């Protein structure tokens, strides 16, 4: 099956959208003109209610966006994605994170072989291992139960497990799970400071097992453990997750303590694989499997729902609309739950490492904007930080508001206040406040004349700021799995339409290569060949280092 390589600007829909972009109305006008707008631009699916009516679209724009997806070959691309074709063509690999959460009876083939039985074998290993650590039957080298787990990994081998572990903290057991990612030795020492070698389990996660940060951190952690407990303790205290079995062996981790993963899983999409071992340890295997179940339900929705009612398709097309036609540079993700405080950071890797590309699938530079900058912080904290710019700044920032109808601790008073803010913000961003309203408000406060007029322009909100509201019943492993899978498929659809390869990440290589060159030069008297700015900085650094 071939993966489409269509330049989107050559489609009829692209041309229509360019014209439609010039004739948009404000959100306030769209709502005033159509009573059914809210229902028309909403999707109810399982525990999700997605209201995208506060976006700069009307029926014609939505139809043209769906036309663009069709003309870009989305249907064929989706079949290739779920079917295990090598759609990551620059690395010659399939992209099958969906197989990691497939039903046991699914048949998903990579080079003719059904991968699902192997997925379930690894899942069984995760279940048995995490259960034994949680119930204390698996002992440390001193015969004690483990109290702490340290996940050592970076990028996809850190962000997914870290984000989910935080997000599902409510479901956590007694194990304290820590994350060591940065090669910054201060980060390493701060984590080690918190744990006791005798009762700490290290999970070294690296798809390639060649990543400088992870190997350095694992080596330091191993030395710290050996200094405290002796060489023999390593076998009991270290397990690894990787595709690179030889390198793990060289590191000294025994083969029975290795959790394999496959090269058809990209790092940033790997939390569903053995990379999620720390998640299973933190919340137990049942909750981990419920997370996978939720993702699988979203996979089925994405694979089968018609485009008009397909959540990832609609959200992706909105992003394409804002990015490629309306000039938006970024997109905010504002979860109204503190549990999801790492979601924006996790999505930054997922979205920006995937779609931060400027060469299309034909190897040509693109002539349109792709990718987008994603950022955010939980509400209501973010309201007291950057919302000023969203309300009255000069930038177009489409935002996702993610909220939950029921809180977990059932503190209704707090939850009502939180959710009142959740709804109020999207309404305020859309409606704004007119000059007339400002004048009325100020005169009700007793102001008049010049004093009143002077303040009016500063107190006006133009409104017309786009938001999409994702209202979900409750934050559970299942709904979280569906939410994360929703973003994964959104990334896929955007990449298909933009005609870029979403599943490689060559852009992170150059900096890594130069870092190893510079590292080797630190001990030399003179640095190698660098630009004058870098050379000056290196000289200054070496001088300060010695002082
Ligand atoms: O930053 C590049 C990258 O390759 C990511 O895609 C990946 O998640 C991360 O490095 C870590 O890689 P590994 O799991 O192989 O250590």
């Amino acid at each position: 099956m071939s993966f489409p390589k269509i330049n989107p600007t050559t489609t009829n829909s692209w041309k229509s959208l360019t014209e439609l972009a010039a004739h948009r109305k404000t959100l306030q006008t769209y709502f005033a003109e159509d009573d059914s707008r809210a229902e028309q631009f909403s999707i109810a699916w399982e525990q999700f209610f997605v209201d995208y009516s506060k976006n700069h679209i009307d029926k014609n724009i939505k139809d043209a966006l769906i036309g663009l997806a069709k003309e870009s070959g989305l249907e064929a691309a989706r079949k290739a994605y779920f079917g295990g074709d090598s759609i990551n063509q620059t690395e010659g690999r399939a992209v099958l994170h969906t197989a990691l959460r497939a039903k046991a009876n699914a048949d998903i083939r990579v080079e003719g072989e059904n991968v699902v039985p192997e997925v379930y074998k690894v899942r069984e290993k995760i279940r048995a291992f995490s259960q034994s650590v949680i119930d204390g039957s698996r002992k440390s080298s001193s015969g004690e139960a483990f109290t702490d787990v340290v996940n050592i990994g970076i990028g996809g081998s850190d962000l997914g497990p870290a984000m989910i572990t935080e997000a599902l903290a409510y479901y956590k057991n007694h194990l304290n799970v820590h994350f060591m990612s940065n090669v910054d030795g201060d980060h390493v020492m701060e984590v080690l400071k918190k744990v006791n070698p005798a009762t700490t389990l290290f999970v070294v996660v690296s798809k390639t097992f060649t990543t400088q940060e992870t190997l350095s951190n694992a080596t330091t952690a191993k030395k710290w453990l050996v200094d405290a407990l002796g060489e023999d303790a390593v076998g009991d205290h270290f397990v690894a997750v990787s595709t690179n079995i030889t390198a793990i062996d060289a590191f000294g981790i025994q083969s029975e303590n290795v959790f394999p993963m496959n090269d058809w899983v990209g790092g940033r999409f790997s939390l569903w694989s053995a990379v999620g071992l720390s998640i299973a340890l933190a919340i137990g295997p049942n909750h981990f499997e419920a997370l996978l179940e939720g993702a699988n339900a979203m996979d089925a929705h994405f694979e089968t729902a018609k485009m008009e009612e397909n959540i990832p398709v609609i959200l992706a097309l909105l992003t394409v609309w804002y990015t490629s036609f309306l000039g938006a540079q970024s997109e905010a993700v504002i979860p109204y739950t503190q549990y999801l405080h790492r979601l924006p950071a996790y999505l930054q890797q997922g979205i920006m490492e995937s779609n931060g590309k400027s060469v299309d699938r034909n190897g040509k530079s693109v002539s349109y904007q792709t990718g987008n900058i994603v950022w955010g912080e939980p509400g209501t904290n973010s309201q007291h930080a950057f919302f000023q710019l969203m309300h009255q700044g000069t930038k177009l920032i489409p935002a996702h508001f993610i909220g939950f109808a029921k809180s977990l601790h059932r503190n209704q008073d707090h939850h009502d206040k939180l959710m009142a803010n959740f709804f109020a913000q999207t309404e305020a961003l859309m409606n704004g406040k007119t000059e007339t309203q400002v004048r009325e408000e100020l005169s009700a406060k007793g102001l008049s004349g010049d004093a009143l007029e002077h303040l009016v322009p500063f107190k006006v909100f133009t409104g017309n700021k786009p938001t999409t509201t994702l209202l979900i019943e409750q934050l559970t492993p299942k709904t979280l799995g569906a939410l994360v899978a929703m973003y994964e498929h959104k990334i896929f659809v955007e990449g298909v339409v933009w005609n870029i390869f979403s599943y490689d990440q060559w852009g992170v290589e150059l900096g890594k290569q130069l870092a190893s060159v510079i590292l080797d030069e630190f001990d030399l008297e003179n640095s190698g060949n660098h630009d004058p700015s870098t050379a000056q900085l290196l000289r200054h650094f070496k001088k300060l280092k010695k002082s």
Side-chain angles (χ1 to χ4, degrees), residues 115 153 158 205 213 216 229 280 303 358 508:
V115 296
D158 165 72
V205 188
E213 291 89 340
S216 303
L229 307 176
E303 208 180 353
S358 53
V508 294

Side-chain angles (χ1 to χ4, degrees), residues 430-473:
M430 178 178 77
N431 281 336
K433 200 188 273 180
T434 62
E435 276 190 23
T436 316
Q437 289 170 313
V438 173
R439 283 203 177 86
E440 278 166 17
E441 239 179 56
L442 291 176
S443 62
K445 282 186 182 153
L447 267 83
S448 61
D450 282 354
L452 183 147
E453 286 309 321
H454 170 71
L455 276 179
V456 170
F458 305 102
K459 296 226 164 204
V460 167
F461 290 64
T462 55
N464 198 31
K465 314 281 187 194
T467 59
T468 300
T469 299
L470 289 110
L471 180 61
I472 304 169
E473 197 176 311

Side-chain angles (χ1 to χ4, degrees), residues 154-157 206-208 211 214 267-268 349 353 505 508 512:
I154 195 164
S157 299
S206 176
K207 182 178 163 185
T208 55
T211 305
T214 304
R268 54 194 174 273
Q349 188 198 15
E353 199 166 88
Q505 56 285 318
V508 294
K512 278 195 210 169

Side-chain angles (χ1 to χ4, degrees), residues 474-490:
Q474 194 165 37
L475 179 58
T476 63
K478 202 167 166 206
T479 56
L480 181 63
L483 181 70
V484 175
M486 177 198 87
Y487 277 109
E488 290 179 340
H489 299 318
K490 175 178 179 291

